[in-house]
Amino acid sequence: MDQAQKQALQVTKEIVVKFIEVGRISPNNCHEFFSQIYHEVLRTIVSGQESESGSLESEEKSE
């Protein structure tokens, strides 16, 4: 499991726990939402890392 996956898993756990606390989902059906939330968080992390590396490359080219 790479760093992005570990980050996504941790964030997803926190989100699901918070949703359970506020009553948006129940512990009985959290498995229905966990995968969807995880994949969205992972996609966001990976696209953010790609954006950072792309901006670093463009800064290096402009120098």
Side-chain angles (χ1 to χ4, degrees), residues 6-31:
K6 287 179 184 179
Q7 288 176 332
L9 185 59
Q10 182 62 38
V11 169
T12 302
K13 287 179 189 179
E14 293 174 17
I15 291 170
V16 170
V17 166
K18 188 57 75 175
F19 280 168
I20 291 171
E21 289 175 349
V22 299
R24 299 284 296 188
I25 61 176
S26 74
N28 295 332
N29 69 353
C30 70
H31 66 279

Side-chain angles (χ1 to χ4, degrees), residues 31-59:
H31 66 279
E32 296 175 22
F33 299 100
F34 192 90
S35 180
Q36 294 172 343
I37 295 169
Y38 171 78
H39 289 294
E40 187 62 27
V41 169
L42 182 61
R43 185 187 65 78
T44 302
I45 290 171
V46 170
S47 67
Q49 289 174 345
E50 290 172 357
S51 296
E52 285 180 7
S53 66
S55 66
L56 290 176
E57 289 174 4
S58 63
E59 287 176 9

